[in-house]
Amino acid sequence: MAILLPSLITTICLYCTYHIYRYLHHFHLARSNSCLPPRKYPHKDPFLGLDFFLETGKIFSENRYLPELEARYGTYGTTFQTNLFGTPSINTIEPENLQVVYSSNFKDWGVEPLRLPAQDPFCGRGFITTDGAAWQHSRVLLKPGFNRANIVAGLEGLGKALEKMMGKIPDDGRTVDLQALFFDLVSTSLLYTVALQ
């Protein structure tokens, strides 16, 4: 019992010190970048944010995620903060914020600790799951594919492949295996785009 009380007090002090340091660090970062604090989502559970998590899971399972997400941004603005298991999470569709996160100040933001453990088996290590040098390498590889000339060329190829696919769909009401048609569509349009380069 004599050791328990000092250990508890030390743990509480370290916890408070960490949160004060984190708050001051975020405050300094926001001030140096002329950022205003984001609007906060009105959680029913302000400690863990379980209400937000459960509500998101429910609307996802009901296939209403995108309309509800649009409604949330309509209600809370283009940038708002939620609490995800005790960790503040910024949700944004603001183009300037996204540009800063994904291009100019990417070193200040991190997704790897959250995404990589869950998505590594599915996505591997790439621009969706990593930070730092691995993320930058993936971005350099993908960037040429997003210049205007490549997008236009890809759309032309996709248009031709889509017309070809639509010609294979019978118009007499018979059941069609769309999986095979979409596989052909992706393969054909990908080959067309690669042949252009």
Side-chain angles (χ1 to χ4, degrees):
M1 184 70 177
I3 292 179
L4 185 62
L5 186 59
S7 297
L8 182 64
I9 291 171
T10 303
T11 303
I12 291 171
C13 287
L14 287 172
Y15 179 81
C16 291
T17 303
Y18 168 74
H19 280 284
I20 290 170
Y21 167 77
R22 200 166 104 181
Y23 171 80
L24 291 174
H25 175 71
H26 287 154
F27 178 79
H28 173 70
L29 239 134
R31 193 172 211 183
S32 66
N33 290 299
S34 303
C35 296
L36 296 172
R39 187 171 180 185
K40 294 196 186 322
Y41 179 85
H43 284 284
K44 294 174 187 165
D45 172 16
F47 300 107
L48 295 176
L50 290 176
D51 59 319
F52 184 80
F53 177 76
L54 294 173
E55 180 186 339
T56 301
K58 180 182 175 201
I59 63 174
F60 199 80
S61 68
E62 295 171 354
N63 292 323
R64 297 184 301 119
Y65 182 71
L66 291 178
E68 288 293 328
L69 190 62
E70 184 179 14
R72 282 180 184 166
Y73 283 112
T75 303
Y76 304 113
T78 57
T79 301
F80 63 93
Q81 180 177 329
T82 56
N83 181 2
L84 188 60
F85 299 115
T87 303
S89 178
I90 304 294
N91 303 269
T92 188
I93 55 171
E94 183 66 43
E96 288 181 42
N97 292 343
L98 295 171
Q99 184 178 7
V100 166
V101 170
Y102 290 121
S103 61
S104 55
N105 291 3
F106 69 90
K107 292 177 186 171
D108 296 337
W109 306 94
V111 295
E112 190 169 325
L114 296 172
R115 291 185 181 171
L116 189 60
Q119 296 180 349
D120 188 31
F122 174 67
C123 298
R125 299 183 60 83
F127 77 99
I128 292 175
T129 57
T130 58
D131 298 326
W135 178 86
Q136 191 171 23
H137 176 70
S138 297
R139 185 173 182 272
V140 166
L141 292 174
L142 286 171
K143 193 173 180 178
F146 289 98
N147 73 34
R148 188 173 302 274
N150 285 345
I151 290 173
V152 170
L155 287 176
E156 289 171 3
L158 180 62
K160 290 179 181 178
L162 190 58
E163 285 177 19
K164 185 177 175 184
M165 183 192 92
M166 295 301 283
K168 293 179 181 178
I169 298 176
D171 55 1
D172 60 2
R174 285 184 288 150
T175 303
V176 178
D177 181 8
L178 289 177
Q179 183 176 7
L181 292 176
F182 278 114
F183 179 77
D184 287 344
L185 171 70
V186 171
S187 301
T188 305
S189 61
L190 181 63
L191 289 173
Y192 183 80
T193 304
V194 169
L196 284 174
Q197 296 176 358

